Amino acid sequence: SQTIHQWPATLVQPVGSPLSLECTVEGTSNPNLYWYRQAAGRGLQLLFYSVGIGQISSEVPQNLSASRPQDRQFILSSKKLLLSDSGFYLCAWSVSGYYTEAFFGQGTRLTVV
Amino acid sequence: DAKTTQPPSMDCAEGRAANLPCNHSTISGNEYVYWYRQIHSQGPQYIIHGLKNNETNEMASLIITEDRKSSTLILPHATLRDTAVYYCIVITDSWGKLQFGAGTQVVVTP
């Protein structure tokens, strides 16, 4: 069966520090991968999506970047965190090629102080 | 992708059916209706989806009007664990790129 792993679960980082959140998927090949963010009291915002290794599309301009170095690995990064980067970050995957549902990880709650 | 409109909140008594409406009046012929829910501090969970026929699974039923401009998600016997934000999403993108709106906050009360 397919599983998605996302870590860490919680993270407190100072302003200006770097960030690296990792997400891996098991049990499937060539998945579509997504990063979402949910700020406190707000809805889910799609940040990045990827349909293959090295193929990243950004939905909104921001202080973050994403990379997909391997088929089932998706990384969210920042060189210097801002207070506004605080939020609940969710990784998700779906089967590529046709309509299907997305499966979400348990999320990382990031607090920038 | 077509936009959706949902009521911001709904209350439902435990054990009763919860009927969640969604308006998607600009939906086009190749767009699907998807429903997800998000329990507090968790990732969204897929519930059901449909194109034009009514659908049912172990979690819920989806009723889509004949003109496809609106739909209703039915939770047949709501439990306290069904308290969550429910999202109605219309999607054409074959990549499954989900754009979440504000959703409906459903509170199931004893």
Side-chain angles (χ1 to χ4, degrees):
Chain A
S1 64
Q2 301 90 355
T3 55
I4 179 169
H5 302 280
Q6 188 181 343
W7 66 93
T10 59
L11 191 60
V12 180
Q13 292 284 98
V15 168
S17 64
L19 173 73
S20 180
L21 301 181
E22 188 165 343
C23 171
T24 59
V25 180
E26 296 178 356
T28 188
S29 297
N30 194 34
N32 298 324
L33 295 171
Y34 313 85
W35 278 111
Y36 287 85
R37 176 173 63 196
Q38 189 168 35
R42 306 289 295 275
L44 285 154
Q45 180 184 37
L46 178 62
L47 301 176
F48 301 96
Y49 65 92
S50 172
V51 299
I53 295 174
Q55 301 179 62
I56 310 293
S57 294
S58 174
E59 286 293 293
V60 293
Q62 58 211 313
N63 184 41
L64 302 168
S65 62
S67 62
R68 185 171 177 173
Q70 300 181 43
D71 182 44
R72 291 168 289 175
Q73 183 185 28
F74 207 23
I75 297 172
L76 183 70
S77 304
S78 174
K79 293 182 179 178
K80 290 185 178 181
L81 284 169
L82 307 172
L83 287 174
S84 57
D85 292 323
S86 294
F88 189 44
Y89 288 83
L90 288 155
C91 180
W93 74 273
S94 67
V95 176
S96 65
Y98 54 93
Y99 302 113
T100 184
E101 68 244 43
F103 301 91
F104 285 78
Q106 289 304 300
T108 296
R109 189 161 301 283
L110 171 67
T111 304
V112 183
V113 296
Chain B
D1 295 333
K3 293 192 179 298
T4 63
T5 302
Q6 298 178 252
S9 63
M10 285 182 58
D11 292 335
C12 179
E14 188 178 19
R16 304 294 295 270
N19 296 281
L20 282 62
C22 180
N23 181 285
H24 31 79
S25 58
T26 61
I27 194 170
S28 60
N30 62 343
E31 289 182 313
Y32 286 72
V33 179
Y34 276 72
W35 283 83
Y36 283 76
R37 72 179 184 183
Q38 186 179 21
I39 296 170
H40 184 63
S41 294
Q42 296 183 22
Q45 175 190 25
Y46 165 82
I47 301 174
I48 199 167
H49 75 279
L51 183 61
K52 53 183 178 181
N53 297 322
N54 298 337
E55 303 288 344
T56 296
N57 62 21
E58 66 278 5
M59 290 182 67
S61 296
L62 175 60
I63 308 298
I64 302 175
T65 58
E66 191 169 344
D67 63 7
R68 303 209 322 121
K69 292 185 177 182
S70 65
S71 60
T72 301
L73 179 74
I74 301 173
L75 308 177
H77 305 286
T79 71
L80 299 178
R81 289 190 300 270
D82 292 323
T83 292
V85 178
Y86 287 76
Y87 299 98
C88 170
I89 303 167
V90 172
I91 181 170
T92 54
D93 195 313
S94 61
W95 301 331
K97 187 174 62 177
L98 297 168
Q99 301 279 14
F100 290 82
T104 297
Q105 172 68 64
V106 173
V107 176
V108 180
T109 55

